[in-house]
Amino acid sequence: MLSYWVCHIKYNRIDVRMKREYFFIILAVVSTIPALTTRLAGIEVYPPLGILIFGAGVVGAAFILSWAAEVAQKDISQNLAVVFFALVAILPEYAVDLYFAWTAAKDPAYTHYALANMTGANRLLIGLGWPVVVFLYLLAHRKRGILLEKRRSIDIFWMTACTLYGFSIVAKGTLTLIDALILFSLFTIYVVQSARAGIVEPELIGPPAEIAKLPRPLRRTTTAVLFLFSAVAILGVAEPFAESLVASGSIIGIDEFFLVQWLAPLASETPEFVAVSLLVLKQYPSIALGVLISSKVNQWSLLVGAVPVVYIIGNLVLHGNFPWGIELDTRQMGEVLLTGAQGFFAVSMLLNYHFRVREAFLLGFFFFGDVVTTITLEQTGHPNFISAFHYALSGLYILLGLGYFLSSWSFLPGLVKHTWQRASSR
């Protein structure tokens, strides 16, 4: 009799837990409905209220995306799951930046906005996103750094390749269709290598664990539906969320260029920041940082390459002419150079597969120093000094990056070897 009740209680607990986990999935889906309904109905809301409505939708979509990426690891390589995760999470950034690129075909002034938004998003990802992951891991689990698995070598290798190619854009002073083709090729190879990496059985808890128990066909279908739903929700919700945030900033008098370069990318990157924070809290810090590295790879390849393509298409459709790309002025070259230099500094820290708190502090310190100094120069009427400051900070990034690069020189042969071995081991 006792054994009967023990089994009965255990069964009921399992049943209750399952109901609770599916309740969380339903709750995440429901949290996106007010935002999606408001967007589809074209209802205008007061910007601060819009932050709450659309922000809830962003958080719900981020939960769904993180669950889908966790379950996907049962059927595809973790590297490829991370690529999908990162690509879906930053879809809003693509939408915003490509909108600016298309509009630049009508109004050349928007060319500056397109590049400002793109470079701002890239620097924000490293300068804020990477430190947030490390400091959150420190606060939640008392760990003073993140050790990356060897499988992250693929992400590190291709981030390095894309970052180094970015310097050629500055050297030429143009962002052309040729650059787009090369960058798209780099991203394609990166995805193929990620797909060929070995599958690692994930340790799942919560809603992902319950979804993973489904029969394989149903599990794969559910995972695909969750990815699709999160992509639709993020695309549908993130833009009005960004608009609400920017409009709220305008209400209190924040500079327009600052809104375009920093506040809009911050809003569009929010789904990713929320999703990777969830991974850190679940004690998946390496995957969380891997997502941000993968985001950097696809932003520095796919997004940067897409800007001149959309700009060219816009000119063809609207004016019937075919420019080869975008000519960069001094300010724009400084922005692109600084973005590449920051990326080089950051990736140099990862060559030994260890990202520490002190390194996260350095990235955050330089990033916020850049933002504060740029805003100060704008407001004090010295915008011409901004490019000089960006060139000087770029030089500092490169020097420090070379120091890290040389100190981790012994890791390079193993990193390259492991990258290509994993790509051909399947």
Side-chain angles (χ1 to χ4, degrees):
M1 180 65 71
L2 179 61
S3 63
Y4 168 79
W5 282 108
V6 169
C7 292
H8 181 70
I9 291 171
K10 287 183 177 180
Y11 174 81
N12 284 334
R13 284 180 178 174
I14 293 172
D15 185 55
V16 169
R17 187 180 70 248
M18 288 178 64
K19 289 180 180 178
R20 185 173 65 245
E21 305 303 353
Y22 283 110
F23 170 76
F24 289 147
I25 297 174
I26 294 170
L27 182 62
V29 173
V30 169
S31 68
T32 67
I33 293 176
L36 291 173
T37 302
T38 302
R39 175 70 188 277
L40 291 174
I43 300 172
E44 293 188 9
V45 296
Y46 186 57
L49 178 60
I51 292 176
L52 295 177
I53 295 174
F54 298 115
V58 165
V59 172
F63 268 99
I64 295 168
L65 174 60
S66 68
W67 295 334
E70 288 182 60
V71 179
Q73 296 175 56
K74 290 189 69 67
D75 299 300
I76 61 176
S77 73
Q78 185 187 99
N79 290 73
L80 188 58
V82 164
V83 171
F84 284 148
F85 187 120
L87 193 57
V88 172
I90 64 167
L91 282 176
E93 181 57 39
Y94 280 81
V96 172
D97 208 35
L98 297 184
Y99 164 78
F100 283 132
W102 178 270
T103 308
K106 296 185 290 185
D107 183 356
Y110 275 81
T111 304
H112 195 62
Y113 286 152
L115 291 173
N117 188 265
M118 178 268 292
T119 54
N122 270 276
R123 298 212 295 276
L124 183 75
L125 188 68
I126 289 179
L128 181 61
W130 290 23
V132 162
V133 167
V134 174
F135 290 129
L136 184 60
Y137 191 48
L138 173 65
L139 291 173
H141 306 292
R142 300 294 187 269
K143 302 292 185 180
R144 301 189 60 82
I146 297 175
L147 286 171
L148 297 171
E149 296 100 336
K150 297 298 183 183
R151 67 175 66 93
R152 296 276 80 83
S153 61
I154 296 175
D155 305 310
I156 296 171
F157 180 89
W158 289 106
M159 178 178 166
T160 304
C162 293
T163 299
L164 293 178
Y165 183 80
F167 290 118
S168 71
I169 297 173
V170 180
K172 298 187 291 88
T174 58
L175 182 57
T176 67
L177 187 61
I178 300 299
D179 295 315
L181 292 175
I182 294 173
L183 291 170
F184 289 165
S185 298
L186 292 177
F187 182 74
T188 301
I189 299 171
Y190 167 62
V191 172
V192 170
Q193 284 200 339
S194 298
R196 290 177 177 175
I199 295 177
V200 179
E201 186 68 23
E203 296 180 5
L204 303 176
I205 58 174
E210 297 302 326
I211 297 171
K213 294 176 183 177
L214 298 173
R216 180 180 293 181
L218 183 58
R219 182 184 69 229
R220 290 180 173 179
T221 301
T222 303
T223 303
V225 169
L226 290 177
F227 265 122
L228 181 61
F229 181 84
S230 62
V232 171
I234 287 172
L235 275 177
V237 169
E239 184 179 348
F241 175 65
E243 291 173 352
S244 298
L245 195 59
V246 170
S248 297
S250 298
I251 290 173
I252 61 177
I254 298 178
D255 178 71
E256 184 180 19
F257 186 83
F258 174 82
L259 293 175
V260 171
Q261 184 167 35
W262 299 119
L263 204 56
L266 177 61
S268 59
E269 297 279 5
T270 298
E272 183 171 24
F273 287 169
V274 172
V276 297
S277 296
L278 295 174
L279 290 174
V280 173
L281 294 176
K282 292 180 179 180
Q283 299 197 49
Y284 298 137
S286 179
I287 298 178
L289 186 57
V291 169
L292 294 180
I293 300 170
S294 182
S295 295
K296 179 66 176 179
V297 174
N298 70 54
Q299 282 194 12
W300 204 224
S301 57
L302 202 58
L303 178 59
V304 174
V307 169
V309 171
V310 172
Y311 176 75
I312 291 168
I313 293 173
N315 274 276
L316 276 173
V317 173
L318 299 173
H319 308 295
N321 59 359
F322 187 88
W324 272 99
I326 300 172
E327 296 284 340
L328 307 183
D329 60 24
T330 303
R331 175 76 180 270
Q332 292 166 343
M333 284 193 289
E335 294 282 354
V336 176
L337 175 63
L338 182 57
T339 304
Q342 184 209 40
F344 175 70
F345 177 50
V347 78
S348 297
M349 295 176 173
L350 302 180
L351 297 179
N352 63 356
Y353 298 98
H354 195 187
F355 188 53
R356 301 174 179 85
V357 170
R358 64 173 180 267
E359 293 159 350
F361 175 80
L362 279 177
L363 283 179
F365 176 79
F366 286 127
F367 171 73
F368 284 106
D370 170 29
V371 174
V372 171
T373 303
T374 301
I375 293 173
T376 302
L377 291 174
E378 287 277 7
Q379 292 180 343
T380 55
H382 298 290
N384 293 333
F385 293 153
I386 293 177
S387 294
F389 169 69
H390 283 172
Y391 280 104
L393 183 56
S394 297
L396 180 59
Y397 271 138
I398 291 171
L399 284 175
L400 293 173
L402 285 173
Y404 272 98
F405 196 85
L406 293 174
S407 67
S408 302
W409 184 261
S410 60
F411 290 91
L412 291 178
L415 185 143
V416 174
K417 180 180 179 181
H418 196 75
T419 298
W420 292 97
Q421 274 185 343
R422 292 195 67 83
S424 59
S425 62
R426 186 160 176 165

